[in-house]
Amino acid sequence: MHPHLDDLVRHARQHAPFYAELYRALPAAGWRLRDLPLIEPADYWRHSMPLASWPVLTGPVTDGHVFKTGGSSGEGKLSVYTRAEWNDFVRAFGTALGSRLRPGDRVANLFFAGDLYTSFLFIHSALALSPVPVCEYPFTGTMEPAALAQAVELHQINVLACVPAQLMRFAGHLAAAGQVLPGVGTILYGGESLFADQIALLRDTFPNALFASIGCASVDAGLVGASTPDCALGEHRVFDGETIVEIVDEASGLVIDEVGRNGVLVVTNLKRRLMPLIRYPSGDLAAWCEPAGGAQRKFVLRGRASQGRRVRVGTLSLFPEEIDGLVREQLGDVLWQLVIGRADGRDQLTLRLLAECDIDSAATARLRAALLTRLPPIRAGIEQDQLRLLVEHGPLAQARFHPRSGKLMRIVDQRDYAADAEGAT
């Protein structure tokens, strides 16, 4: 067992009512990591507003940072770091990020800022703490494509750091203008996977670019995985000493140790004590790439888990409970399944309503309109030609069920994650 884990669990039990109840039957000593129950995200985030009464926290929020976790309806949950925890977070990530940079690189930070979102500030801080000296150009993700293209050439920027959806928008502008940026040698993406069809298009405008993950982290789970030069797209290495990563069978909850078998990525953050995360399911599917026992064990992301708390599609974050609330509001107690795919170079969301009786087209149209109104990022993705939204209905027999548990899969991610590794070279 990791030497810091016992102290972390003791601290959480003593100071956070949530963990005191969760570990009520756990002995004071003699337990292993696998004996700790997995967190149920819905329970974890319940009563999280206001922060002062959130039973997960081990103390008052008096020194540090408060961020949104990415809610799409304006009601995103909040994630809290003390100042020391935040500094540890960005320092560890920045150290790993240095392996993807060269001295003197000119880096355009194109991540997003404002409204309590963290990606721009996080990358800004990580670049500042990178052991490799670089020059950052903090444009943010709201930079207009024409102005960005001009700035990249003017300042001889050779590294772009961005989310894939913003990168595709920029590449689309360049293609329409007949522009090519051969001076960009590295593109570091984060927040979502980059797929083979996207890379094929990007090579037309960035012919000399190496595509790589900037690293795997989230504002709720913290550090997840480092992107190192020996990682293909989708692959990352565990931050030993900072984070414990497990891969757990989605049906049984048992830990997976063998290579190549998919399971839910579970994170324990060893440094966060104000808002502890101990065996927290990230919502991602992953598989080990290397046998157990080695340092910084490598894993590969394989899409979204079928019961994930949050679904990330491009810059869009969706919470299944939000979708469920809209379905109930418009149609009543109807089962549904969200299928994520790709078609014609775009992400595609298909909300399948599962009912034996017919659902008239007017009802599905009302539901689609409600999704666009209440979840503005979906509408924005459609307007930017990065996303399609379909609402369909059919019998329950057409739904996808988990092959082992038999449960209805709320999220079915059909995107080809194996193909993105092929596009890296």
Side-chain angles (χ1 to χ4, degrees), residues 108-112 119-120 123 140-142 160-171 187-194 198 202 214 312-316 384 386:
N109 183 351
L110 301 174
F111 283 90
F112 289 85
S119 62
F120 175 83
I123 296 303
T140 80
T142 59
L160 306 182
C162 51
V163 296
Q166 179 71 356
L167 179 62
M168 295 304 298
R169 179 170 172 252
F170 183 39
I187 292 177
L188 300 174
Y189 67 90
E192 178 58 283
S193 294
L194 195 61
Q198 294 173 314
L202 291 169
I214 201 167
R312 186 80 171 177
V313 183
T315 59
L316 170 67
Q384 294 168 8
Q386 297 288 335

Side-chain angles (χ1 to χ4, degrees), residues 194-197 199 233 302 415-425:
L194 195 61
F195 296 95
D197 62 325
I199 291 175
L233 293 190
R302 292 278 177 80
R415 293 173 294 182
D416 188 356
Y417 286 83
D420 63 3
E422 298 168 7
T425 56

Side-chain angles (χ1 to χ4, degrees), residues 237-238 240 290 293-298:
R237 290 192 172 278
V238 175
D240 290 339
E290 299 173 341
Q296 293 183 291
R297 192 179 183 188
K298 185 190 289 186

Side-chain angles (χ1 to χ4, degrees), residues 8 57 60 62 74 106 171 294 321 337 358 371 385 405 425:
L8 175 63
L57 298 184
T62 58
R106 297 169 180 263
E321 61 263 31
Q337 187 168 75
D358 287 338
L371 289 165
D385 203 28
S405 70
T425 56

